[in-house]
Amino acid sequence: MLSEVIICIYCAKLIYGQNIEMSKISVKEESGLALKLEKLKEKVRSLAQRGLEGADNTRKAYQTDLKQFEEWCQEYDQSSCPVSPETLVTYLAFLGDSYKWASIQRKISAIRKLHELRNEEYPSKHVKVKSVLEGLKREKSIRQHQAPAFTLDDFRSTAGSLENDNLQELRDKVVIILGFTGAFRRSELVSINIEDLQFQDDHLVIGMKNSKTNQYGEIEEKAFFKSEDPDICPITTLKAWLELLPATGPLLVRFRKGERHGEIKLTEERLSDKSVDNIVKHYFGKEYSAHSLRASFVTIAKMNGADDIEVMQQTKHKTSLMIQRYTRINDIKEFNAVKKIKM
């Protein structure tokens, strides 16, 4: 009890600025300090859990994965936490029948995180668990399917064909042009608010409060510049779209059907990230995805001589290694160092 009181005194001095002398502590003061200490302990527990849980999007994905795991454990009368090595490898075999390696990795991470939060031992070093994971890697192949990149000509012809006087085409045009020139992830794109836009004389800056690589709320900015072609200019297109929106709120919104056949009207509901994926597939083809906007920016920028630092200014990647992963240069004949050897 004495040690806790001493800690309480130290915390109170730091936090509340109280000038407390050890010899003058009354029973009432001791009780008050103990209460403050308990509040600090609760704050520590809360911060520790928040740190373990991670980013909001990751936490949501883990919740879905854990619900599936717990339902599977209930069906087969197994304990989900702590999980035994035998139960875990059996679940891995179950996942191997239906999921890709990347999805399996995430689901296993969710189970590991559950054990960390509950301070339970996770059997990651068990020989059977390690061998089954290695077998899944070999069976599934570690290389993940990558969203293809479109060419600059594809971008120009697709975005340029969309009309500003057509409500849906204008919205979709903003998605495509902004998603490409800003190298946005789809979650970042749909999270933009009108008040995040800062128009200058010859450029536009969009501030982002959160992203996959920025989980602590620091403001990251992306710059956009006028294009000589108004049909694909991000600033011209955005200004046309903003004329239809209120002064604040989400930049990209959903539509709803109007009273007349074929009529659509704007809502104030934020567009979903899944809708971004559907828009890209609709205009570029089913093999493409929302991620193609980002991959295409990196690929085209690199092909036109941009260095990694310049690309990272827009993508907000932290390392050049990620830029290499995003670059889709697949033509072995056109992009080959052999051509640079004079023989």
Side-chain angles (χ1 to χ4, degrees):
M1 183 64 183
L2 180 59
S3 62
E4 290 194 354
V5 171
I6 294 172
I7 294 172
C8 286
I9 295 168
Y10 179 68
C11 292
K13 284 182 176 181
L14 288 178
I15 298 173
Y16 301 101
Q18 297 176 1
N19 186 17
I20 300 172
E21 296 181 10
M22 288 286 293
S23 60
K24 296 181 179 180
I25 297 177
S26 67
V27 175
K28 184 176 181 181
E29 288 172 326
E30 181 179 325
S31 176
L33 288 173
L35 180 61
K36 290 172 184 176
L37 175 63
E38 189 56 41
K39 288 182 178 179
L40 286 171
K41 288 180 177 179
E42 181 59 35
K43 182 66 173 178
V44 169
R45 286 191 288 268
S46 175
L47 289 172
Q49 178 155 337
R50 187 71 183 90
L52 285 171
E53 287 175 348
D56 289 341
N57 287 342
T58 302
R59 189 166 67 253
K60 289 176 183 177
Y62 281 179
Q63 286 172 349
T64 301
D65 292 335
L66 288 175
K67 181 181 178 182
Q68 179 193 30
F69 175 57
E70 288 171 355
E71 288 175 350
W72 182 90
C73 287
Q74 288 177 3
E75 181 180 355
Y76 290 94
D77 195 24
Q78 301 294 313
S79 170
S80 61
C81 187
V83 64
S84 68
E86 192 63 38
T87 297
L88 184 58
V89 295
T90 306
Y91 186 62
L92 286 172
F94 163 76
L95 294 176
D97 289 337
S98 306
Y99 295 94
K100 296 179 181 178
W101 172 243
S103 298
I104 293 173
Q105 281 184 301
R106 192 195 68 218
K107 292 175 184 296
I108 293 304
S109 295
I111 299 171
R112 181 187 295 111
K113 186 69 69 174
L114 174 67
H115 283 67
E116 290 177 1
L117 288 169
R118 295 185 180 178
N119 199 27
E120 297 284 0
E121 185 177 354
Y122 177 75
S124 58
K125 296 182 180 180
H126 192 279
V127 61
K128 185 174 285 188
V129 173
K130 292 170 69 174
S131 62
V132 169
L133 278 172
E134 181 63 27
L136 276 174
K137 283 183 187 180
R138 294 178 182 277
E139 183 179 276
K140 293 289 181 180
S141 176
I142 298 176
R143 185 174 181 178
Q144 299 178 26
H145 171 72
Q146 293 183 320
F150 47 74
T151 66
L152 187 56
D153 286 340
D154 289 337
F155 168 73
R156 284 174 174 156
S157 62
T158 301
S161 67
L162 301 178
E163 300 291 341
N164 286 10
D165 57 2
N166 181 301
L167 190 60
Q168 180 159 351
E169 287 192 5
L170 177 58
R171 195 277 310 272
D172 294 352
K173 186 175 182 178
V174 172
V175 169
I176 292 170
I177 293 180
L178 207 60
F180 169 69
T181 57
F184 283 107
R185 299 177 179 90
R186 60 182 182 176
S187 59
E188 298 169 351
L189 189 59
V190 298
S191 70
I192 298 172
N193 291 323
I194 296 169
E195 49 267 39
D196 297 329
L197 310 180
Q198 304 170 42
F199 286 95
Q200 308 295 332
D201 291 338
D202 61 345
H203 68 279
L204 162 70
V205 173
I206 297 181
M208 298 189 306
K209 296 183 180 65
N210 292 99
S211 68
K212 184 177 180 180
T213 54
N214 172 29
Q215 299 174 7
Y216 302 104
E218 298 176 3
I219 300 295
E220 290 183 336
E221 296 181 329
K222 299 195 178 195
F224 302 81
F225 303 91
K226 290 182 178 178
S227 170
E228 295 180 357
D229 184 351
D231 289 337
I232 58 171
C233 176
I235 295 178
T236 301
T237 305
L238 261 179
K239 286 184 175 180
W241 174 243
L242 288 171
E243 290 179 0
L244 307 174
L245 301 179
T248 60
L251 176 65
L252 298 172
V253 295
R254 300 171 183 265
F255 297 122
R256 63 177 175 82
K257 293 182 179 180
E259 296 178 358
R260 291 177 294 180
H261 179 71
E263 180 186 24
I264 58 172
K265 293 184 177 182
L266 284 173
T267 71
E268 295 183 0
E269 299 175 17
R270 193 179 298 276
L271 192 69
S272 70
D273 57 2
K274 179 61 178 175
S275 295
V276 176
D277 201 58
N278 292 336
I279 288 169
V280 174
K281 290 181 182 298
H282 176 74
Y283 291 104
F284 288 95
K286 291 183 179 180
E287 69 272 25
Y288 294 92
S289 70
H291 200 63
S292 295
L293 297 170
R294 188 166 163 86
S296 299
F297 172 86
V298 175
T299 302
I300 293 170
K302 291 292 292 181
M303 288 173 61
N304 282 274
D307 63 33
D308 288 355
I309 298 298
E310 291 173 317
V311 175
M312 288 161 65
Q313 285 279 23
Q314 202 74 334
T315 64
K316 303 305 176 185
H317 282 122
K318 302 302 183 184
T319 66
S320 294
L321 179 62
M322 291 304 298
I323 300 301
Q324 295 171 25
R325 283 188 58 186
Y326 271 68
T327 306
R328 309 290 196 261
I329 300 178
N330 300 318
D331 191 329
I332 194 171
K333 300 185 296 298
E334 183 176 354
F335 303 102
N336 198 308
V338 174
K339 295 173 66 175
K340 297 185 181 295
I341 301 175
K342 296 180 180 180
M343 296 177 63

